[in-house]
Amino acid sequence: MMDLKELTRPNIWNLSPYSSARNEYSGHTANVFLDANENPYNSPLNRYPDPLQSELKTLVARVKGVPAECIFLGNGSDEAIDLAYRCFTQPGVNNVVAIEPTYGMYKVCADINDIEYRPVLLDNGFQMNADSLLSACDADTRLIWLCSPNNPTGNNLKRNEIEEVLRRFHGLVIVDEAYSDFSTERPFRLDLDKFPNLIVLNTMSKAWGCAAIRLGMAFASKEIISLFNKVKYPYNISSLTQEQAIEAFKDPYKVDKWIKIILLERTRMIDAFGMLPSCKKVYPTNANFFLAEMDDAQATYDYLVRKGIIVRNRNKVALCANCLRITIGTKTENNELLAALRQRIG
């Protein structure tokens, strides 16, 4: 790995971060707060939230098996994605490499930050090849984006290929594990000590059923996390979000139950789709969704919209012609989808 200082934008490395009122007395007990120009009424909403989310990070560390100092919490995973660009790429100079197809925000953030985005097509089995990915890199490549299980394809990328990229690439490798709770693969966040150039993303929007609170996670070395904390807005996670997340992390076994139910429904739905005459193929998945190739994805999508059923049309995405992405819902929701599709062909 290239020296972290060399990878970081010079202005970010030298940045003096904003010092929030809540940071300055850290480590001391206080009960009178006259430092932040807050309204003294309407407790507790009148007070600024903990800028570093200490209580929440203690719970996240326990559940995720990562030291608290190696955890960044953001306004969704998208904040961590944007921070990677802002910390480690120079606009108009550097480039990033990513698999294709994959999650669209990697490219959107590249465009916002004026960074060249180099997509490398997966093979027909939606797998990456380390050599192909690395051949797209040059001296100005700072980040490689990987998503496993991948979105929209649903499959795990081959672990040995990811590890090969981590060993050979001199920049930072971001592995997005938003859907890892639905997979039996060992999470890469547990291998941070092996790969100093690794950043792993996770979220509460999927298995944890908390998309509304907008809480994303990044796991990396404490040096990388300190850079994220330096650049982030002072109070990026609201007290309301922190409180909801703390309650969720107190009962991780509830999430385990949800995952088991979703995986059983996933198997049932894949089997049912395989019997639909309009479905040509269902791709293997390790996520809470699957990709299905239809005889006419656009027509099927439009029909379902008219029925009030919304799936994701991936027809125009690379390698996904005539494909719909189907999220696993409740048994009732899944049955409604199947009934609509069977009625259409009946």
Side-chain angles (χ1 to χ4, degrees):
M1 175 184 170
M2 190 185 299
D3 183 76
L4 188 61
K5 184 176 180 180
E6 294 181 54
L7 283 171
T8 307
R9 283 189 201 176
N11 66 302
I12 298 300
W13 188 266
N14 297 317
L15 178 69
S16 295
Y18 177 81
S19 180
S20 70
R22 292 298 176 262
N23 272 335
E24 292 174 358
Y25 76 90
S26 180
H28 298 275
T29 301
N31 52 27
V32 176
F33 298 100
L34 305 175
D35 58 326
N37 300 335
E38 300 155 321
N39 189 323
Y41 306 108
N42 198 35
S43 179
L45 299 179
N46 59 325
R47 299 300 180 189
Y48 286 109
D50 175 3
L52 292 177
Q53 310 95 32
S54 300
E55 181 182 358
L56 175 53
K57 281 182 181 174
T58 298
L59 288 172
V60 174
R62 187 183 307 158
V63 172
K64 296 293 185 178
V66 177
E69 64 268 22
C70 295
I71 299 171
F72 169 82
L73 299 180
N75 185 2
S77 298
D78 295 339
E79 182 177 4
I81 292 170
D82 185 57
L83 282 175
Y85 282 102
R86 292 165 63 193
C87 289
F88 304 116
T89 62
Q90 291 271 16
V93 175
N94 295 131
N95 66 75
V96 301
V97 170
I99 57 173
E100 177 77 0
T102 195
Y103 180 45
M105 278 303 294
Y106 312 143
K107 185 178 188 306
V108 170
C109 284
D111 293 342
I112 291 170
N113 286 278
D114 191 23
I115 302 298
E116 180 189 356
Y117 183 88
R118 299 180 177 181
V120 178
L121 274 179
L122 299 173
D123 64 22
N124 290 332
F126 297 136
Q127 284 297 336
M128 57 165 277
N129 175 271
D131 288 335
S132 298
L133 210 63
L134 292 167
S135 67
C137 301
D138 60 23
D140 291 319
T141 307
R142 290 292 180 267
L143 308 174
I144 291 180
W145 294 97
L146 304 173
C147 185
S148 183
N150 192 23
N151 177 13
T153 62
N155 62 299
N156 285 323
L157 301 178
K158 292 180 180 177
R159 190 177 188 87
N160 63 313
E161 296 292 331
I162 297 176
E163 291 181 348
E164 184 74 6
V165 171
L166 282 162
R167 283 191 292 266
R168 293 168 55 188
F169 183 55
H170 297 300
L172 297 172
V173 180
I174 298 99
V175 179
D176 190 340
E177 294 188 332
Y179 301 97
S180 61
D181 293 297
F182 302 101
S183 170
T184 57
E185 189 84 10
R186 175 182 169 85
F188 268 93
R189 70 173 184 272
L190 301 180
D191 293 328
L192 293 176
D193 56 337
K194 296 180 183 177
F195 304 107
N197 60 335
L198 173 63
I199 300 173
V200 178
L201 304 182
N202 206 202
T203 180
M204 292 198 72
S205 296
K206 310 304 178 186
W208 288 83
C210 290
I213 72 173
R214 305 304 303 130
L215 188 73
M217 293 161 264
F219 308 106
S221 69
K222 62 181 181 180
E223 292 80 13
I224 291 173
I225 296 302
S226 69
L227 287 168
F228 277 15
N229 286 332
K230 180 190 280 193
V231 177
K232 77 173 184 71
Y233 293 117
Y235 304 108
N236 63 322
I237 306 297
S238 75
S239 295
L240 300 178
T241 290
Q242 292 185 48
E243 289 166 9
Q244 289 297 315
I246 286 168
E247 287 305 307
F249 273 107
K250 286 179 180 177
D251 189 10
Y253 301 107
K254 181 193 297 183
V255 178
D256 291 340
K257 293 177 184 176
W258 291 341
I259 291 171
K260 288 178 182 177
I261 295 169
I262 289 169
L263 294 182
L264 286 172
E265 277 295 290
R266 185 181 74 184
T267 298
R268 184 177 76 90
M269 289 294 289
I270 288 173
D271 291 342
F273 257 71
M275 292 187 287
L276 293 172
S278 59
C279 179
K280 299 173 67 175
K281 181 177 182 178
V282 177
Y283 289 94
T285 181
N286 304 100
N288 66 329
F289 62 86
F290 61 90
L291 195 67
E293 182 182 354
M294 313 299 290
D295 55 10
D296 189 334
Q298 187 63 55
T300 304
Y301 175 81
D302 293 340
Y303 164 78
L304 290 173
V305 169
R306 292 194 297 271
K307 290 284 188 178
I309 301 170
I310 309 301
V311 297
R312 196 77 155 106
N313 187 356
R314 301 285 76 187
N315 182 45
K316 295 182 181 179
V317 172
L319 302 179
C320 298
N322 266 327
C323 286
L324 299 178
R325 193 190 70 192
I326 312 296
T327 303
I328 304 302
T330 64
K331 187 170 185 177
T332 299
E333 291 170 331
N334 298 334
N335 286 342
E336 189 170 344
L337 169 62
L338 291 173
L341 291 173
R342 287 165 179 157
Q343 181 182 12
R344 180 172 180 246
I345 62 174

